[in-house]
Amino acid sequence: MATILATDGVARGEREGFWRQALSETFVPMTVGAVTGDRFGGFLRSAWIGRLMVAEVASTAQDIQRTSHEISRTDAEYLQIGMVCRGAATVTQDGREAVLGVGDFAVFETTRPFRWTFGGDWDVGAFTLPRGSVGLSEAESRLLTARRLDGQSGITGVVSRFLRDLARNADSLSGTQSERVLADVTDLVVTL
């Protein structure tokens, strides 16, 4: 069952607060920098496939970050994949910065500070896996984060298309398929 949260219908003066709370409650506590412009809006659709959360997030220009303070407030340990479906983004973690275009994706973890910057309107597919389901040591995962994975060619292009199809069909997958899907996504991440 999908959960949909949107700023449509929320009073203008309350939209930013609503959006910050929606992102933090859906994913992990994070800070959303001040947004500007009269046309600010956001849309978030999420569905769980067993222990894998698949989400579509769309909004206007903004800066999103997870700080050490927010990390200390929760014990949530997730590995996340963010795939740009519209617009462009910059993701920063572990001393690296990756610039992503449409179809590109990057891996990041909620146990260490990260930042996503969007200079204009954007739409991102977000895939959230329990950190324990990924067979990588912390040192190995630090080498994987905030690297641009090309969504157009090679094995990363295949994975990009798989993730897009998974997001489109998340509602139609049964609970009995969920652990297999989680294992498949995990295997793809480890392969990359």
Side-chain angles (χ1 to χ4, degrees):
M1 183 90 165
T3 301
I4 298 174
L5 301 168
T7 57
D8 293 350
V10 176
R12 257 188 222 282
E14 297 173 11
R15 285 183 181 177
E16 284 187 48
F18 172 85
W19 185 242
R20 286 183 180 98
Q21 184 174 352
L23 289 178
S24 289
E25 288 181 2
T26 300
F27 299 107
V28 290
M30 59 185 98
T31 300
V32 179
V35 295
T36 57
D38 293 335
R39 60 179 208 81
F40 169 73
F43 171 86
L44 192 157
R45 179 181 173 274
S46 62
W48 285 94
I49 304 171
R51 298 181 298 142
L52 170 67
M53 182 176 53
V54 178
E56 175 188 3
V57 189
S59 191
T60 53
Q62 62 198 252
D63 184 68
I64 301 168
Q65 60 182 315
R66 181 155 163 85
T67 64
S68 297
H69 173 71
E70 288 146 348
I71 292 167
S72 70
R73 294 177 24 213
T74 180
D75 59 356
E77 293 186 5
Y78 297 109
L79 183 136
Q80 295 183 300
I81 303 165
M83 181 177 61
V84 175
C85 300
R86 178 174 56 105
T90 302
V91 62
T92 306
Q93 189 170 48
D94 295 326
R96 278 183 303 282
E97 180 178 282
V99 178
L100 310 177
V102 173
D104 295 340
F105 58 102
V107 174
F108 58 105
E109 287 203 40
T110 63
T111 57
R112 297 184 304 282
F114 66 77
R115 176 181 222 140
W116 280 83
T117 305
F118 303 95
D121 292 356
W122 57 276
D123 189 334
V124 167
F127 305 85
T128 303
L129 302 86
R131 177 61 179 90
S133 71
V134 181
L136 295 172
S137 69
E138 184 176 333
E140 290 170 324
S141 74
R142 283 181 184 270
L143 295 174
L144 177 67
T145 56
R147 294 191 184 274
R148 176 185 169 267
L149 298 167
D150 181 357
Q152 307 303 322
S153 62
I155 187 67
T156 55
V158 171
V159 173
S160 178
R161 290 185 294 280
F162 169 78
L163 292 173
R164 272 183 270 172
D165 284 346
L166 179 61
R168 286 186 197 117
N169 295 292
D171 290 341
S172 64
L173 295 172
S174 71
T176 58
Q177 296 168 313
S178 65
E179 283 303 308
R180 186 66 245 160
V181 170
L182 176 64
D184 290 343
V185 171
T186 301
D187 288 345
L188 288 170
V189 168
V190 170
T191 299
L192 295 175

